[in-house]
Amino acid sequence: MNLNNLHSLITGRWFIDKAYSQSLLPSLYSILNGKLTFSAPDKPTPEAFIFSVNKSLVSASSFDNETNKDNYVLVVSLKNPIYKYNQECGPRGTKSKQQIMSRYESDPNCKGIVLDIDSGGGQVSGTPEFHDFIKNYSKPVVSYTDGMMCSAAYYIGSAAKHIVANKRADAIGSIGTMIHFVDMTGYYEKKGAKVITEYATKSTDKNKDFEDLLKGKPEGYIKNELDPITETFHADMNSARPNLNSEVLSGGTYNAEVSLNNGLIDEIGTLQTAIDKVFSLAKSNKNNTQLNNSKKNPMSKLNVPLIEAVIGASFSEGETENGIILTDEQATALENRLSENDTTIATAETEATTSSERITELEATNTTVTTAIQNALATAEVEGAATMSNEEGITALSNLVAEYGAADGAGVTNNLKNNGIAEDNANVIGGIDVSAAMNN
């Protein structure tokens, strides 16, 4: 075990069940005294298994997904203390688990993941990150436990779409944060080392909470370090499990039946139950995707016969998820038709302009005619002329002409002599006395 991992064991903050952490102390004591060593096993425990649709279970390391044609579920084991990084000759870290899941995410035959969990928790570092990774995973993830799913292990498992617990599961929950701190000063001094710690004059707050913890004053460390981590833990749980009973956030652990009632899990069942649920969720996701695609791309149902007549094909023949694919010939046909339409529109606009100019000319002519008619009516002293239309004015003038003509025809026609003056009735023409006009 390298020094960094050893340091994280001794001083790190933990999402871990108390009893589970106590069970690790003898191993830690043996490590510190050099009495416990690790050696790589001849056959390391597989990190993941493949469960195919034909019910066969094989190690992921011996599975060839390039030649495989069957649908399958990847079963990822979390059955050790949770660490961010791989432990030398020990459990794989959450970073490694994410890499395993990522390798299978692009395989269409992999329908999803089952997290097979039996762990009392582990380090804070890396746990929320793994939680987010699972929530954003593109395939269905289902968590299963037949033992413990506590603290960090529950934090990770809660991000799944569905949680299944065996009816004999040991403990579920332990939502909270703790520090399991070992003051190593006495150990090093016993070995002959002298531990000296000094801070710069202006670094009065550096490591203050930790130094107070060493002095038996944990309040600052709890308030400033542990409490914010727990608030985030609770917020993530309420987001991932909206039906979670708030009472379980205090850190208690529960059996499967009580966990189901409190919203910690969704179902009591077996590993096979969890695997079947992945297949079910994958099928449901596929149906929803097809439905959404049909809503986003209803081209085959469009009633557009004019466009289809131009391209010489129905939309359904070239339909894709993102729209319609046109051939070069179809695109050219549409371009030519649009060009023809542009020409037709331009011609119509020109004709409309010419018509507008002709209308203006006619309106001017109409104004001239109206003025002439009004002047004639005024000269003839026709009553109500100002309100007459052109048609009414012409009718009135026509009537006057007829009236004057009739009156003129009723009088005696005389021969004019002596410079145009008639011998008889010389002063009357058409019944009108014109003598005054003549004298003037």
Side-chain angles (χ1 to χ4, degrees):
M1 179 174 290
N2 63 49
L3 292 178
N4 288 333
N5 285 337
L6 179 60
H7 181 266
S8 68
L9 275 175
I10 297 171
T11 63
R13 292 164 294 188
W14 296 81
F15 292 134
I16 196 166
D17 181 72
K18 177 69 174 179
Y20 188 70
S21 67
Q22 291 288 349
S23 69
L24 302 178
L25 286 180
S27 296
L28 174 61
Y29 180 79
S30 297
I31 292 171
L32 294 175
N33 285 280
K35 296 180 180 179
L36 182 63
T37 59
F38 294 98
S39 60
D42 295 335
K43 293 183 178 180
T45 302
E47 296 181 65
F49 296 89
I50 301 295
F51 192 96
S52 66
V53 72
N54 61 16
K55 308 297 183 181
S56 62
L57 185 66
V58 299
S59 171
S61 59
S62 61
F63 178 73
D64 186 358
N65 59 351
E66 293 184 359
T67 60
N68 171 68
K69 303 300 181 183
D70 294 330
N71 293 333
Y72 65 90
V73 170
L74 179 70
V75 180
V76 179
S77 295
L78 281 83
K79 296 192 174 184
N80 299 98
I82 306 297
Y83 300 98
K84 183 175 184 177
Y85 298 107
N86 296 342
Q87 303 298 298
E88 186 176 353
C89 303
R92 314 297 286 176
T94 55
K95 284 287 189 180
S96 179
K97 303 295 184 183
Q98 291 178 52
Q99 291 172 359
I100 294 171
M101 293 174 65
S102 295
R103 286 202 299 268
Y104 290 87
E105 191 169 13
S106 60
D107 185 355
N109 291 323
C110 179
K111 297 306 175 183
I113 309 291
V114 167
L115 298 176
D116 187 9
I117 302 172
D118 186 5
S119 173
Q123 289 180 307
V124 170
S125 180
T127 294
E129 178 188 7
F130 196 13
H131 173 92
D132 292 341
F133 175 85
I134 294 168
K135 284 189 70 175
N136 296 322
Y137 198 69
S138 63
K139 297 178 184 290
V141 179
V142 173
S143 294
Y144 170 74
T145 183
D146 59 0
M148 299 182 73
M149 187 164 65
C150 296
S151 210
Y154 187 81
Y155 204 144
I156 293 168
S158 68
K161 299 292 184 184
H162 196 79
I163 302 177
V164 179
N166 189 283
K167 65 180 181 179
R168 303 296 186 186
D170 298 315
I172 300 169
S174 190
I175 298 173
T177 314
M178 63 172 288
I179 182 172
H180 206 103
F181 176 72
V182 179
D183 184 355
M184 299 298 296
T185 304
Y187 174 82
Y188 290 124
E189 289 179 348
K190 186 177 180 180
K191 296 292 184 179
K194 186 175 182 180
V195 180
I196 300 173
T197 304
E198 298 291 348
Y199 293 95
T201 304
K202 295 183 179 181
S203 300
T204 54
D205 289 330
K206 185 176 180 63
N207 295 332
K208 184 178 186 303
D209 292 336
F210 184 76
E211 293 290 349
D212 287 344
L213 182 64
L214 288 174
K215 297 173 184 177
K217 300 177 181 178
E219 293 81 7
Y221 191 89
I222 293 172
K223 178 181 178 181
N224 299 322
E225 300 290 337
L226 300 185
D227 286 351
I229 294 172
T230 303
E231 290 296 331
T232 301
F233 195 169
H234 287 179
D236 286 340
M237 293 304 96
N238 287 324
S239 175
R241 308 286 301 175
N243 296 323
L244 195 66
N245 187 337
S246 60
E247 294 181 0
V248 304
L249 297 177
S250 61
T253 58
Y254 311 91
N255 62 28
E257 191 68 38
V258 177
S259 294
L260 181 62
N261 293 334
N262 284 324
L264 284 163
I265 65 172
D266 298 298
E267 186 176 1
I268 294 176
T270 63
L271 178 61
Q272 185 62 55
T273 306
I275 292 171
D276 291 342
K277 185 64 179 181
V278 171
F279 281 120
S280 174
L281 290 172
K283 183 177 180 180
S284 176
N285 286 352
K286 180 180 178 180
N287 292 337
N288 290 337
T289 300
Q290 291 174 341
L291 177 61
N292 290 335
N293 286 341
S294 67
K295 290 180 179 179
K296 294 178 182 178
N297 185 36
M299 298 303 236
S300 60
K301 298 179 181 179
L302 284 177
N303 183 22
V304 285
L306 296 179
I307 295 178
E308 291 179 340
V310 173
I311 66 175
S314 65
F315 271 121
S316 59
E317 293 179 18
E319 185 177 356
T320 69
E321 290 185 2
N322 297 319
I324 299 301
I325 297 176
L326 297 177
T327 65
D328 290 345
E329 291 78 11
Q330 291 171 342
T332 300
L334 281 176
E335 180 68 19
N336 292 338
R337 180 60 60 85
L338 291 174
S339 178
E340 292 172 3
N341 291 343
D342 286 344
T343 301
T344 302
I345 292 171
T347 301
E349 289 176 345
T350 300
E351 292 176 351
T353 300
T354 302
S355 297
S356 177
E357 293 173 351
R358 180 58 179 160
I359 290 172
T360 301
E361 293 175 1
L362 292 175
E363 287 176 345
T365 300
N366 183 64
T367 300
T368 302
V369 171
T370 299
T371 301
I373 293 173
Q374 287 295 320
N375 289 337
L377 291 172
T379 301
E381 297 181 349
V382 175
E383 186 177 352
T387 60
M388 289 183 179
S389 66
N390 287 348
E391 290 80 3
E392 292 172 340
I394 291 172
T395 300
L397 290 173
S398 297
N399 291 337
L400 283 176
V401 170
E403 180 184 345
Y404 290 159
D408 182 59
V412 177
T413 301
N414 298 304
N415 294 322
L416 297 178
K417 298 179 180 179
N418 301 321
N419 297 323
I421 301 175
E423 294 180 352
D424 299 317
N425 299 323
N427 295 329
V428 177
I429 298 177
I432 300 174
D433 185 359
V434 297
S435 60
M438 293 292 289
N439 292 330
N440 292 332

